[in-house]
Amino acid sequence: MQNVKLIRINYWIEKTESGIHFDENIVHTDNQMRRARCWFPCRDDEYHRCSFNLEFTVPHNFVAASVGKLLYQVMSKEDITQKTYVYELAIPIAPRWVSLVAGPLEVFPDQSNFVISNFCLPHDLSRLRNTMEFFHEAYSYYEDYLSAKFPFGFYKQVFLPPEIVVCSSTLGASLSVFSSHMLYDERVIDQIIDTRIKLASALAKQWFGVYIVPESPNDDWLLDGLAGFLTDMFIKQFLGNNEARYRRYKANSAVCKADDSGAMCLSASSSCKDLFGTHSIGMHGKIRSWKSGAVLQMLEKQMGSESFRKILQKIISRAKDPSNATRSLSTKEFRQFSNKIGNLERPFLKEFFQRWVASCGCPVLRIGLSYNKRKNIVEMAALRECTASLDSRLSVGATSDSENRDVDVGWPGIMSIRVYELDGMSDHPKLPMAGDRWQLLELPCHSKLAAKRYQKPKKGGKPDGADDNVDAIAPLDNKTSIESPLAWIKADPEMEYIAEVHLHQPLQMWVNQLEKDGDVVGQAQAIASLEALKQHSFSVVNALNNILTDSKVFWRIRIGAAFALAKSASEETDWAGLQHLIKFYKSRRFDAEIGLPKPNDFRDFPEYFVLEAIPHTIAKVRGGDGKSPREAVEFILQLLKYNDNSGNPYSDVFWLAVLVQSIGDLEFGQQTLTFLAPLLKRIDRLLQFDRLMPSYSGVLTISCIRTLAQTALKLSDSISFEYICKLLEPFRKPETILQVRIEASRALLDIEYESKGISSTLSLFMKYVIEESSLRGQVKLCVHTMRLCQIAVGFNSDDCVDTVSLLDLLHLFKNHVVFHNEFLRHHLFCIFQILAGRPPTLFGVPKEKPLQLVDVEACIEPQNVFSVPGAEPGEPSLLPLGDANGNSLDVAPLGVPVKSQEMFMPTAPEMKFLEPVAVSVHDAEHIEPHMENQNQPLPENPIVHEIPSDGEAPTEELAKAEENLPTTEPQKEPDVVPVSVSHEVKTVIRIKVRPSGATSRAEGSARTVERSQGIVVRRDIERRQTSSASVDAPQRISADAHMEEVNSCHDVGSRMTASIGSVKLPTEGDTSGKELQCTAESGKTSTSQKADDNNLEAAAAAPGLLPQDSNTGNEAQQKYGSLQTLSVGKESEKKKDKEHKKEKKRKREDPVYLEKKRLKKEKKQKEKEMSKLLSSASDPATKKIETVPEAKPEGPKAEASAAPAEARPSTKIRIKLKSKAFNNP
């Protein structure tokens, strides 16, 4: 210390355009990335840290809040109208964490903890008091969990108007600056949960991110994940375990949806240092944050919650140690802690971090099952895939030292399968996540079924066939539970993996899981699976209605059930789903005597959230013509007309906003167009009312603007765009609050795009950006325009951007306004990338693979509850979001399917999960990626061909999809022998499968997954081997007999048995190949079934045709030999023989059958006579013999002859696969 010299630098700032901002009488800093140097001299990077002594002289009526501890405040000696605040921060920090806010602020010290101070403008003080009532509990909980005091001593929170802040939250050391839109008074309900989580998250980042810093840019994910983990612990402690698990499930689903390229890799590229953190901006940053927290939660599951807590305590205590204070943390050090404290083995940790942190992609599991009654076991087949292609993983540094690039190294660990039986539940950790992609499991059942015989109705029973002993004969929907001890099955029940699971189990098992599983994740998965059904039976509708009406069920699950009911409503079900929704709402909110809504009463918060969502679900109901039913439109108009909030202690602003937004979700037809005028009058009345008495954060005005724009876009022939633009233009005035101003600008941009195209939209956007004074408003407009560009590029339209617009964008990019707004600059760059056909990021994405920038916040953010509309940059477009292939990127969250256009979902995704995850799942929610050897972009929807069980022909789109699929080399025409037992001509679908090379253990014959409901999954697996499959679409038939097995399908009436056994694959020199004959029955077996003796010995298809390598023939035979137990037993053969004899006897006594036989005999005789006449009249060497078929009998005889054909037994599907093994060149 002897050679240390004190250097004093006097400096002043001539232009304050970045880093520090003076807005009216408030001065504040934002310290965007590398912006601290714009307002004080420093080395502006993360690795030059020092302590600070800060003095701020402000007017005497101002308050200055800054980092560190306030030492004192004194009146200035030179000017008595000024005051000086002196702060000291002894802990070394990077310059970016130095913050300052000064202005006429009100100070509100926490009533329970004096080290917490809150600041706001005077008019927000009452809302501040109400908002911060809980905060001391979160503060104390973090200290208790980490066993340490808050490192900076004092903690300050400042709330500023949203017009002057750059983003909703800005961090400094011991100081956090928020937008005041997060504050709420005692009358607001919907903002509570979102605000509390954001405040708790900012406090967690003070511990991990500001105090504990990353050692290098590649370690940013670790600190972000630790802060997210701490926030999840707060949610679990104060908002409940259901809320925490539901949010984690939605976050994992969103990660699986988006983690398809190197952009989602957490720590893989050295270029992340050069990006200066821009890869964490926007939706990519949110997905990476969710993935970071999920990865750490996976580690916590492996080592135990207490061991993980000790690791966090060790990190904090090490940083507080004065003798060896180390406040940086690296991924390598965290691995060492996991090994020493968490007792995890080093090989496991090495593989874990390499696969989850240094690579990209999440596992996708497709699981089918079958119950073996004789062995009392569940036989399960699982196929493991990856959401990211192999090229994407190689691009971020994954090694490719295997002999075959198509080999999937998998993920470390073993996934658990939980089986729920009649006598209890059991876990089976048997599904390995590495090794062969195909896995066969045998899960023993602990419950046994007592022998029960079919009881015939007693004599003298009731005329309708009913009996007093209702338990003697179970209903049809409960046959699954009668014929097997299985109630339902769950894969990865504790969410130990970030995985997308497609579990195929019978319909009744999904219903059991929905009604009896107490876990919110299992219920959300069941809802998503039931919602994804093409046809909804009354049993499904009743099960969803029971969940909706049960007040003991978690309210988010009830909302998901409501959306599923809305989707199930159709003419086929007599609009049962719509009727249940209306009946439920009226039972809670209507006066039964007068038939009108009662005054609002929101004291029951869970019931309030559920009822708030009902109008929105009703607006989603569609008829066969795609229009909203008349009853739905009338109901919403009635709610809007008779809303009464008198006597209610809580505000109904969000309630009204949802009602107004429901109008925008309606589809008006010819019958309902008459209701449009009164609905628009109600909207205009609400706009005028909100103008006189502004609602909370302008929520009501925002919903009206959004609804008007949506209605104008849908009814462009009836509503003039010019009139709507004139109506919305006044809301863009500078004196209008930010949220309303930005919403009006977004609506006008949507209308401009719809009417004039993308070039005109870009010109209008540039005009709005220059006019917008708020930095945050500029970012919001840019994000919205970026989504419009995605739509324009995604639909492959001819609407190209002209050169003038591109040049104007370049000039805007160089403008000083953009330079001083880092977030605006980043999103402008994304617009250029999208218009050029590239991914909107530079982080870890191969140039040949376009990245789908999905908006997936809705996957975790609940519907219209957590955020004020217009509050976040990532708010939805009124137009559907599209990807580079023209597919919609709106994804419905699993369990709570909400569209991106919805007003309270500030980000898109309604990502719609067409396949059930558990598969929920927004869900789902939800999305089947390619196999790993494919280089083309991942499709939005899976290549899944569902063969209709009623014999209908496939659509033209299906045929085109089959014809357009890429192939690496010419393929031979498949050798297909379709078999049909029906007189009707059935459509045959031929599916070609291109397998991969034969060097991997996981390869072999063609992998074609055939499920009992007729789903065939086509995957490109091998490149040097071809196989084909021909599937005859089965017909629906009635069922009377009892089933003997539970199979992997959604149709209760379908069955599939299998016997593959020891399949001997052809040798290398054998070119003839080996046939696998697969037979499956669709529908329940009929007593009139005529068994096909040739097919009784054939094997029925398992959930998938399992690959076997020719190099390991004997081993594979032993491994898969247990599949022979899936074949039909001797009892079933005897039963079919007995039925066959009965059928013959019945036919001999059936006059219709005898008449048909007689006509057939006469036809043959006439054919013989005709042939003799022709042969005698001409030379047989030169004349061809023609057979003249006899015309079919007309009238009653024709109908009688057709009757047996319609009553034929269950249709069989026969699949032949031929594959040839080739030597590698």
Side-chain angles (χ1 to χ4, degrees):
M1 299 296 292
Q2 297 178 356
N3 297 326
V4 174
K5 296 181 179 181
L6 179 65
I7 301 177
R8 183 183 182 90
I9 302 177
N10 296 321
Y11 70 95
W12 63 92
I13 301 175
E14 294 182 351
K15 295 182 179 180
T16 59
E17 295 181 340
S18 183
I20 188 168
H21 306 276
F22 294 86
D23 296 281
E24 296 180 356
N25 57 350
I26 299 177
V27 56
H28 65 97
T29 60
D30 60 67
N31 290 1
Q32 303 179 53
M33 300 172 186
R34 298 175 299 148
R35 292 296 188 271
R37 56 188 176 184
C38 294
W39 69 283
F40 71 95
C42 62
R43 289 287 300 274
D44 196 4
D45 59 45
E46 295 288 340
Y47 311 106
H48 291 81
R49 297 183 285 269
C50 60
S51 57
F52 289 88
N53 292 321
L54 306 170
E55 296 183 6
F56 304 102
T57 301
V58 297
H60 69 281
N61 60 338
F62 274 27
V63 175
S66 186
V67 297
K69 179 182 178 182
L70 176 62
L71 298 180
Y72 54 87
Q73 52 179 319
V74 296
M75 300 300 295
S76 176
K77 297 180 180 180
E78 300 176 356
D79 188 355
I80 60 174
T81 62
Q82 294 182 345
K83 185 191 302 184
T84 300
Y85 288 82
V86 179
Y87 286 90
E88 180 188 31
L89 183 61
I91 299 175
I93 61 172
R96 64 171 300 190
W97 303 123
V98 178
S99 299
L100 165 68
V101 178
L105 303 175
E106 293 286 343
V107 183
F108 176 68
D110 194 275
Q111 303 300 312
S112 302
N113 195 331
F114 71 94
V115 300
I116 303 174
S117 300
N118 306 290
F119 304 82
C120 70
L121 294 179
H123 62 271
D124 291 328
L125 184 58
S126 60
R127 294 195 298 169
L128 178 66
R129 288 195 182 100
N130 182 75
T131 305
M132 304 309 299
E133 288 181 349
F134 84 101
F135 189 75
H136 68 278
E137 298 178 351
Y139 187 91
S140 301
Y141 175 74
Y142 285 168
E143 289 186 334
D144 294 340
Y145 185 82
L146 299 173
S147 298
K149 293 294 183 179
F150 185 67
F152 297 108
F154 294 87
Y155 184 57
K156 296 167 285 293
Q157 299 178 112
V158 184
F159 295 87
L160 298 178
E163 289 82 0
I164 67 175
V165 296
V166 179
C167 54
S168 60
S169 62
T170 302
L171 296 181
S174 74
L175 175 68
S176 298
V177 181
F178 302 99
S179 171
S180 61
H181 82 271
M182 296 170 54
L183 300 176
Y184 55 87
D185 56 32
E186 64 278 359
R187 288 174 51 84
V188 175
I189 301 174
D190 299 66
Q191 190 65 29
I192 296 176
I193 298 178
D194 181 54
T195 294
R196 293 190 175 186
I197 292 176
K198 287 183 177 179
L199 295 179
S201 176
L203 179 60
K205 290 178 181 178
Q206 292 286 337
W207 289 89
F208 299 102
V210 180
Y211 181 64
I212 304 296
V213 296
E215 186 174 284
S216 68
N218 276 343
D219 302 319
D220 287 342
W221 75 271
L222 180 57
L223 279 304
D224 194 16
L226 290 175
F229 177 85
L230 209 58
T231 305
D232 289 341
M233 296 302 296
F234 163 80
I235 296 174
K236 183 178 180 180
Q237 180 71 19
F238 295 98
L239 300 180
N241 186 56
N242 286 341
E243 180 75 17
R245 282 184 59 82
Y246 188 87
R247 282 179 164 268
R248 175 50 52 195
Y249 167 68
K250 293 299 181 181
N252 289 0
S253 300
V255 171
C256 291
K257 171 73 177 176
D259 191 7
D260 58 355
S261 67
M264 294 298 109
C265 182
L266 299 180
S267 174
S269 175
S270 58
S271 63
C272 66
K273 180 180 180 181
D274 301 330
L275 295 179
F276 296 100
T278 55
H279 55 279
S280 61
I281 298 177
M283 187 48 57
H284 286 152
K286 291 184 179 180
I287 295 294
R288 287 167 52 86
S289 179
W290 293 342
K291 183 178 180 181
S292 301
V295 168
L296 294 179
Q297 286 201 351
M298 292 164 55
L299 274 179
E300 184 212 20
K301 296 287 185 182
Q302 294 291 334
M303 68 178 66
S305 58
E306 193 60 32
S307 297
F308 194 85
R309 180 181 179 182
K310 290 180 179 179
I311 292 177
L312 300 190
Q313 293 174 352
K314 175 64 176 179
I315 295 172
I316 299 297
S317 62
R318 184 185 65 167
K320 284 180 171 291
D321 186 3
S323 60
N324 185 21
T326 304
R327 290 178 40 234
S328 62
L329 180 64
S330 66
T331 304
K332 182 178 180 180
E333 290 174 334
F334 192 80
R335 283 176 54 179
Q336 294 175 353
F337 288 145
S338 301
N339 172 246
K340 297 178 180 179
I341 302 177
N343 296 322
L344 296 180
E345 298 179 355
R346 290 189 176 182
F348 169 81
L349 290 172
K350 180 180 180 181
E351 186 178 3
F352 180 91
F353 280 87
Q354 175 64 30
R355 196 64 184 87
W356 288 109
V357 179
S359 183
C360 61
C362 299
V364 180
L365 293 174
R366 311 183 189 281
I367 302 175
L369 59 95
S370 179
Y371 173 65
N372 190 315
K373 187 176 181 180
R374 183 171 61 87
K375 288 188 174 182
N376 195 30
I377 61 174
V378 178
E379 293 179 321
M380 182 175 291
L383 171 63
R384 187 184 68 253
E385 300 174 358
C386 182
T387 58
S389 64
L390 179 61
D391 292 337
S392 297
R393 284 178 279 156
L394 293 176
S395 67
V396 294
T399 58
S400 179
D401 53 358
S402 59
E403 295 182 1
N404 195 328
R405 284 167 54 92
D406 295 337
V407 176
D408 182 12
V409 296
W411 289 262
I414 298 177
M415 180 177 287
S416 178
I417 306 296
R418 181 169 294 176
V419 179
Y420 292 82
E421 305 176 37
L422 298 179
D423 296 341
M425 174 267 293
S426 58
D427 285 333
H428 303 273
K430 291 187 176 183
L431 181 56
M433 297 299 291
D436 292 343
R437 292 179 180 174
W438 285 96
Q439 297 289 339
L440 296 178
L441 308 177
E442 292 185 353
L443 310 179
C445 296
H446 303 285
S447 302
K448 293 186 178 180
L449 297 175
K452 294 184 179 180
R453 296 184 177 180
Y454 178 78
Q455 297 184 6
K456 296 182 178 180
K458 299 179 181 179
K459 295 182 178 181
K462 296 182 180 180
D464 58 354
D467 191 84
D468 293 335
N469 186 10
V470 295
D471 296 333
I473 302 176
L476 182 62
D477 290 341
N478 293 331
K479 291 190 68 175
T480 299
S481 60
I482 289 179
E483 296 166 355
S484 75
L486 301 178
W488 68 92
I489 292 179
K490 291 171 62 178
D492 191 22
E494 299 300 329
M495 291 190 294
E496 296 176 340
Y497 288 88
I498 313 173
E500 181 180 326
V501 182
H502 299 263
L503 175 63
H504 296 269
Q505 59 182 354
L507 177 88
Q508 183 58 35
M509 295 178 70
W510 285 118
V511 173
N512 293 341
Q513 181 171 332
L514 175 61
E515 294 180 337
K516 300 178 182 179
D517 195 347
D519 181 26
V520 295
V521 174
Q523 290 175 324
Q525 293 171 348
I527 288 175
S529 299
L530 296 177
E531 183 182 1
L533 296 176
K534 291 188 175 181
Q535 295 182 351
H536 298 83
S537 63
F538 286 100
S539 62
V540 172
V541 174
N542 292 335
L544 293 171
N545 183 55
N546 293 337
I547 294 297
L548 174 62
T549 56
D550 190 356
S551 59
K552 297 180 180 179
V553 177
F554 184 49
W555 60 273
R556 295 197 188 279
I557 299 299
R558 297 172 65 188
I559 292 177
F563 277 95
L565 278 174
K567 186 175 181 180
S568 69
S570 62
E571 296 179 358
E572 289 76 10
T573 58
D574 296 331
W575 303 105
L578 177 60
Q579 299 301 327
H580 282 309
L581 290 172
I582 295 177
K583 181 180 178 181
F584 167 74
Y585 192 93
K586 288 185 175 180
S587 65
R588 300 296 201 277
R589 296 279 298 111
F590 270 56
D591 191 332
E593 296 181 357
I594 60 176
L596 294 176
K598 297 183 292 187
N600 296 333
D601 185 2
F602 301 155
R603 286 174 292 186
D604 187 349
F605 287 1
E607 198 72 15
Y608 162 78
F609 289 137
V610 175
L611 290 172
E612 186 184 48
I614 297 300
H616 188 71
T617 60
I618 292 177
K620 295 291 185 181
V621 176
R622 298 289 182 266
D625 57 351
K627 305 299 181 181
S628 299
R630 181 186 182 92
E631 187 176 5
V633 179
E634 290 179 343
F635 182 75
I636 292 177
L637 177 60
Q638 185 182 26
L639 296 182
L640 197 60
K641 182 178 180 181
Y642 295 102
N643 180 71
D644 181 9
N645 203 51
S646 59
N648 186 20
Y650 298 99
S651 172
D652 66 342
V653 57
F654 284 96
W655 182 273
L656 277 174
V658 173
L659 286 176
V660 173
Q661 185 62 30
S662 299
I663 300 175
D665 293 326
L666 293 172
E667 291 287 348
F668 294 93
Q670 294 295 332
Q671 297 181 352
T672 58
L673 200 58
T674 56
F675 295 99
L676 181 60
L679 287 172
L680 293 179
K681 287 183 180 179
R682 291 287 168 184
I683 294 176
D684 182 67
R685 183 176 300 179
L686 290 174
L687 274 174
Q688 300 300 329
F689 178 80
D690 204 37
R691 184 176 300 175
L692 296 175
M693 301 180 61
S695 60
Y696 170 77
S697 297
V699 169
L700 193 54
T701 299
I702 291 172
S703 65
C704 292
I705 292 174
R706 188 170 300 177
T707 299
L708 287 174
Q710 286 179 339
T711 306
L713 293 173
K714 293 178 181 178
L715 302 174
S716 57
D717 297 336
S718 304
I719 301 178
S720 173
F721 283 161
E722 295 181 359
Y723 173 77
I724 296 297
C725 292
K726 290 181 180 179
L727 185 63
L728 298 181
E729 194 65 36
F731 294 101
R732 292 196 60 255
K733 294 181 179 179
E735 59 270 17
T736 310
I737 64 174
L738 175 67
Q739 295 92 325
V740 174
R741 188 169 70 242
I742 296 303
E743 186 60 37
S745 299
R746 278 198 293 242
L748 291 172
L749 287 173
D750 285 334
I751 294 175
E752 187 77 10
Y753 171 76
E754 188 70 18
S755 58
K756 298 182 181 180
I758 188 62
S759 295
S760 180
T761 305
L762 290 174
S763 300
L764 186 63
F765 154 70
M766 288 182 279
K767 174 188 174 183
Y768 287 172
V769 166
I770 298 300
E771 295 175 352
E772 179 59 46
S773 59
S774 169
L775 297 178
R776 194 164 175 225
Q778 295 172 353
V779 176
K780 287 173 176 288
L781 292 176
C782 192
V783 170
H784 188 77
T785 305
M786 182 183 68
R787 291 176 178 169
L788 293 179
C789 292
Q790 283 183 301
I791 296 174
V793 175
F795 287 143
N796 297 324
S797 62
D798 298 332
D799 183 18
C800 299
V801 182
D802 54 41
T803 306
V804 176
S805 299
L806 286 176
L807 289 176
D808 291 341
L809 273 180
L810 287 174
H811 287 301
L812 178 64
F813 194 73
K814 297 188 298 181
N815 193 294
H816 71 281
V817 174
V818 177
F819 176 79
H820 296 300
N821 191 340
E822 186 178 59
F823 301 104
L824 175 62
R825 186 179 179 86
H826 170 76
H827 288 103
L828 264 180
F829 166 78
C830 292
I831 289 179
F832 283 112
Q833 289 285 98
I834 293 171
L835 293 177
R838 303 191 188 102
T841 180
L842 290 180
F843 183 79
V845 182
K847 293 182 179 180
E848 66 275 6
K849 176 177 174 55
L851 176 69
Q852 298 176 359
L853 180 60
V854 294
D855 204 354
V856 294
E857 186 171 340
C859 282
I860 185 171
E861 293 292 340
Q863 171 192 354
N864 63 43
V865 180
F866 288 157
S867 57
V868 178
E872 296 302 326
E875 293 197 355
S877 167
L878 298 178
L879 300 173
L881 187 62
D883 63 4
N885 298 325
N887 300 323
S888 174
L889 295 184
D890 292 342
V891 178
L894 308 180
V896 187
V898 183
K899 292 289 184 185
S900 66
Q901 300 95 302
E902 293 175 6
M903 108 172 247
F904 298 111
M905 310 299 286
T907 55
E910 208 182 49
M911 305 193 279
K912 198 92 174 169
F913 287 76
L914 302 179
E915 274 283 323
V917 173
V919 234
S920 102
V921 138
H922 97 95
D923 269 345
E925 113 217 332
H926 179 278
I927 310 175
E928 301 184 20
H930 282 235
M931 298 293 284
E932 297 177 356
N933 62 333
Q934 290 178 306
N935 299 326
Q936 59 266 33
L938 300 181
E940 186 69 10
N941 297 325
I943 307 178
V944 175
H945 305 290
E946 181 166 344
I947 303 171
S949 59
D950 55 355
E952 61 188 20
T955 60
E956 296 180 0
E957 291 78 7
L958 181 78
K960 292 180 180 179
E962 288 294 333
E963 296 173 1
N964 297 333
L965 286 174
T967 56
T968 57
E969 62 179 56
Q971 295 180 343
K972 297 182 179 180
E973 188 69 16
D975 185 9
V976 178
V977 184
V979 178
S980 177
V981 298
S982 174
H983 291 284
E984 299 180 7
V985 179
K986 299 180 181 178
T987 304
V988 176
I989 303 175
R990 294 181 177 180
I991 303 174
K992 295 182 179 180
V993 181
R994 184 175 67 254
S996 59
T999 60
S1000 171
R1001 293 185 308 163
E1003 327 206 327
S1005 61
R1007 304 175 183 177
T1008 303
V1009 180
E1010 191 274 333
R1011 296 179 175 86
S1012 57
Q1013 77 179 100
I1015 298 178
V1016 179
V1017 180
R1018 181 189 187 279
R1019 294 292 181 195
D1020 295 342
I1021 303 178
E1022 300 189 22
R1023 301 179 181 177
R1024 308 181 182 275
Q1025 191 171 351
T1026 62
S1027 63
S1028 62
S1030 176
V1031 182
D1032 289 350
Q1035 293 184 344
R1036 290 189 181 276
I1037 58 171
S1038 60
D1040 298 325
H1042 292 285
M1043 293 172 56
E1044 295 183 1
E1045 297 167 345
V1046 177
N1047 302 283
S1048 58
C1049 63
H1050 293 294
D1051 187 0
V1052 179
S1054 61
R1055 72 183 277 246
M1056 171 183 285
T1057 56
S1059 176
I1060 295 179
S1062 302
V1063 180
K1064 183 178 180 181
L1065 296 181
T1067 60
E1068 296 181 357
D1070 187 5
T1071 60
S1072 60
K1074 188 70 177 179
E1075 295 185 0
L1076 299 178
Q1077 294 186 356
C1078 310
T1079 303
E1081 297 182 10
S1082 177
K1084 302 177 181 60
T1085 57
S1086 173
T1087 55
S1088 61
Q1089 169 71 29
K1090 180 179 179 180
D1092 188 353
D1093 297 334
N1094 296 330
N1095 291 334
L1096 286 177
E1097 298 176 0
L1105 299 179
L1106 302 175
Q1108 298 187 10
D1109 195 344
S1110 58
N1111 298 329
T1112 58
N1114 297 331
E1115 180 182 353
Q1117 292 177 13
Q1118 296 176 0
K1119 184 174 183 178
Y1120 301 132
S1122 62
L1123 279 183
Q1124 293 178 351
T1125 59
L1126 296 176
S1127 60
V1128 180
K1130 295 183 179 180
E1131 297 181 1
S1132 60
E1133 294 182 4
K1134 293 180 180 179
K1135 186 177 180 180
K1136 289 186 176 181
D1137 291 337
K1138 188 176 181 180
E1139 293 177 354
H1140 181 59
K1141 294 179 181 179
K1142 289 182 179 180
E1143 180 67 10
K1144 284 186 175 181
K1145 184 176 180 181
R1146 185 188 66 79
K1147 287 183 176 181
R1148 287 196 296 266
E1149 300 176 355
D1150 188 2
V1152 178
Y1153 175 79
L1154 296 177
E1155 178 64 15
K1156 180 181 177 182
K1157 190 174 182 180
R1158 183 184 65 79
L1159 292 173
K1160 188 176 181 181
K1161 187 175 182 181
E1162 291 179 358
K1163 180 180 178 181
K1164 289 184 178 180
Q1165 291 178 355
K1166 290 183 180 180
E1167 289 178 353
K1168 289 181 180 180
E1169 292 176 0
M1170 183 63 68
S1171 62
K1172 289 180 180 181
L1173 291 175
L1174 292 176
S1175 62
S1176 61
S1178 60
D1179 187 3
T1182 59
K1183 298 289 183 178
K1184 295 182 180 179
I1185 299 177
E1186 297 180 0
T1187 301
V1188 180
E1190 182 183 1
K1192 294 184 179 181
E1194 299 180 356
K1197 291 185 178 181
E1199 296 177 359
S1201 63
E1206 296 176 357
R1208 293 192 63 89
S1210 61
T1211 305
K1212 292 186 176 181
I1213 304 172
R1214 186 175 182 178
I1215 305 176
K1216 280 192 176 183
L1217 292 103
K1218 285 188 176 182
S1219 60
K1220 297 180 181 181
F1222 296 90
N1223 294 329
N1224 291 331

